[in-house]
Structures are given as C-alpha cells and as structure tokens.
Amino acid sequence: MRIGVLTGGGDCPGLNAVIRGVVRKGVEAHGWEVLGFRNGWQGPIENLTRPIGLADVEDILTRGGTILGSSRTNPYKVEGGVDKIRQVLKENGVDALIAIGGEDTLGVAKRLTDDGIGVVGVPKTIDNDLGATDYTFGFDTAVHIATEAIDRLRTTAESHHRALVVEVMGRHAGWIALHSGLAGGANVILVPEREFNVEQVVEWVERRFERQYAPIIVVAEGAVPQGGAEVLHSGEKDAFGHVRLGGVGTWLAEEIAERTGKESRAVVLGHVQRGGIPTAYDRVLATRFGLHAVDAVAEGDFGVMVALKGTDIVRVKLAEATAELKTVPLERYQEAEVFFG
C-alpha cells in the first residue's frame, strides 16, 4: 500500500513531527510506502512529489516548518483541480491521503472525501480555532513564543515608562492573545470575539501609569474597536477568500499616545510565532496525531479527522471538524478581565 501526505495552509511548529509519526508507523508497522506531496494541495494537482522513507524523518522532530512545503492552494478554485488530483493519485499508486492543515485545508479534505477520494485529516493551526478538538499542535509553541516576547518587552516598557502594545496572530479567534496575555501578565487583552472600547482601554492604561507601572496591551490581529472594522494589511484575498490582517496594534498605540500624552509603542510579533523549534507538548501531540492518522487509514476510515479529547486521541467527521470555528467563550474572557488595568 502507498499513502500520500501533505501539509497545507500556514506553516506551524510540529508539522514535521506529524510527518515523522506517519512515516515511522506506516513503514515499520504496516510496510507501506509514503509519498510526500509538496506545497499543500498544489502537490497533488501538479504532481509535485517526493518519496519519504525512514532516513528522511530521522532528524526532523525538532525542526519547525515542514519538509514538504506548504501553500494556500484551493483545488476547487483551480480549473479541473479535483480531476487532476484524482489522476495524480492514480498515476502514483496512492491509495489514501493524509492531509495536515487548518480549516481551509481540511475543508478541502472534506469535499474531496465527498467526491470519492479517501482522505484522513490532521488538525494544525497555531490559532487553536478548529472545532471538534480540544487543542491543535502549534498553539502551545505560539503561546510560548508570545509569552516570552511579552516578558522581554515588559522590562523595556518599565525602563522607559512606555505603554507597549503587542499584536499577536488571531484572525477570528483570540486564543493566542488570551493565553499569552494571561501568562505574560498583560494589563489589557483584546480579542476578535469581543469589540473593545478604546476609552475603556485608555482608562486601564492610565490606571496602570498611576500605579507607577508601564502597561502591556496584548491585541489579536483580528480585534475590532466598537463601531469600527478590522485593520487590513492588504485588501487582496487568498484562494480561500481571506484578506490579510495587520496593523491594529500600531493604530491602538497611536490612539493611546494621543489620548494619554504618554509614549506608546507597538510590537507586531507576526510570523515569529509560527517559526522555530516546537515545544515538547506540540511534538508529542503532533506525533500522536500522525500515529492515529495511520490507524484510520489502515482501517479504511476516511472522511475523519484525528482529534484530542481530554487526553485521548479520537476520530471525528471532517464535516464536524470544519463546521464552525472554535472561538473564545465570553466567560473565559471575563475571567481575565479581573487582571486588566
């Protein structure tokens, strides 16, 4: 048997650990061959492949990114894309496909399953916004990186008596902002799930200054002020209809400076949250996902995604996993508000 594997969407710490888990179990336990498709869904459309054997995954556990490359290609926006995938899989003798990705990649996997192609999904996103799984790998690493940045920024903020606004990733879900903000002792946390009042933010900032401390504000890139809109880095849309967000941190820092008369600076962490060595937690979770994805293929259980429920890895339908985003509940956000200001 030969199985294919691909990584789609944004890169994420832990992708290589999944690939390693798939190859180790596929080869050692079942005697399968593993064929990697390069650059997300572009690979099976354009027949961009590379065999992956045990030697190829020997030292990739700690590496960030993905040895297969990635892209935001959408086969359903490519003329004849699905037929090309079906033909490429046939030509390469691929019996099943393991797709590692977020909502967009797994949304494609669900549609391909409906079109008769055997796909098993593995959830990947630093945003932790995929439904039907408690956590996705990559999230823990992103939170760790953001928290470390907040810790470092606090010392310079205190030295210069500045307000520092830290912009983190999070288009529609504020999990990174919430967790890193709490772990880093931020004085204000702003998430996409709840519009924020600029005057209230300024009040929290001034309260912090009155105590002779420098305020730290953590804001997700998709956070929106009351009566306002998302701040766009670019209005251009990708193949899945997403615009590029970015700039709310700079906008907010300018508002704070103007309204308080205090020096305020913005720091945009951006893609640094995606890069580097995955944490031990993400390595273990990603590895377990890879092993269980192989089990699903071995049992012919297609159209499913492996997911974390408590401490167990289970299978859920791709339709359930991609039905809606997992966002920060209001009560979780309200828990954090006691620390604001």
Side-chain angles (χ1 to χ4, degrees), residues 56-279:
D56 299 301
V57 300
E58 182 64 32
D59 61 350
I60 67 172
L61 181 63
T62 60
R63 288 171 57 182
T66 164
I67 62 171
L68 291 176
S70 190
S71 74
R72 297 190 183 278
T73 303
N74 184 348
Y76 289 91
K77 294 294 180 68
V78 176
E79 185 175 355
V82 177
D83 290 334
K84 291 177 181 177
I85 289 177
R86 190 177 283 110
Q87 183 62 32
V88 167
L89 294 180
K90 181 179 179 181
E91 290 176 357
N92 287 283
V94 173
D95 303 292
L97 189 61
I98 294 176
I100 312 166
E103 56 169 320
D104 296 325
T105 300
L106 297 185
V108 169
K110 189 269 180 187
R111 294 182 66 178
L112 289 176
T113 300
D114 294 341
D115 288 332
I117 297 174
V119 186
V120 171
V122 175
K124 174 266 345 169
T125 169
I126 66 170
D127 290 334
N128 197 43
D129 60 358
L130 264 176
T133 184
D134 291 347
Y135 285 99
T136 54
F137 69 87
F139 172 66
D140 186 70
T141 304
V143 169
H144 178 81
I145 291 170
T147 301
E148 183 180 17
I150 294 168
D151 291 343
R152 291 176 179 275
L153 290 168
R154 181 176 300 282
T155 59
T156 187
E158 296 288 358
S159 297
H160 294 276
H161 315 292
R162 293 169 176 156
L164 270 176
V165 180
V166 184
E167 181 182 318
V168 300
M169 285 185 168
R171 176 184 297 275
H172 301 300
W175 292 106
I176 295 177
L178 180 66
H179 281 237
S180 65
L182 279 172
N187 309 109
V188 182
I189 301 171
L190 306 174
V191 297
E193 292 85 347
R194 187 175 185 181
E195 292 185 346
F196 64 88
N197 184 305
V198 178
E199 292 183 359
Q200 175 65 77
V201 173
V202 169
E203 181 181 325
W204 283 323
V205 167
E206 290 181 327
R207 187 188 310 169
R208 184 70 176 172
F209 275 126
E210 288 171 1
R211 296 172 180 170
Q212 303 300 309
Y213 293 108
I216 299 288
I217 301 94
V218 176
V219 56
E221 62 185 351
V224 177
Q226 290 178 356
E230 294 173 326
V231 179
L232 304 183
H233 183 280
S234 168
E236 184 179 350
K237 295 182 179 180
D238 64 18
F240 293 95
H242 301 309
V243 293
R244 186 177 174 188
L245 300 181
V248 65
T250 300
W251 177 85
L252 183 58
E254 292 173 351
E255 287 290 318
I256 291 172
E258 181 178 339
R259 295 176 186 232
T260 66
K262 300 287 188 178
E263 188 176 2
S264 181
R265 300 289 179 85
V267 176
V268 181
L269 297 186
H271 287 76
V272 71
Q273 296 158 91
R274 293 188 182 279
I277 299 172
T279 61

Side-chain angles (χ1 to χ4, degrees), residues 17-41:
V18 180
I19 297 170
R20 176 176 175 267
V22 168
V23 172
R24 289 299 299 264
K25 188 159 192 176
V27 173
E28 297 279 23
H30 299 285
W32 297 344
E33 294 180 358
V34 181
L35 185 68
F37 287 98
R38 297 179 182 272
N39 305 334
W41 291 115

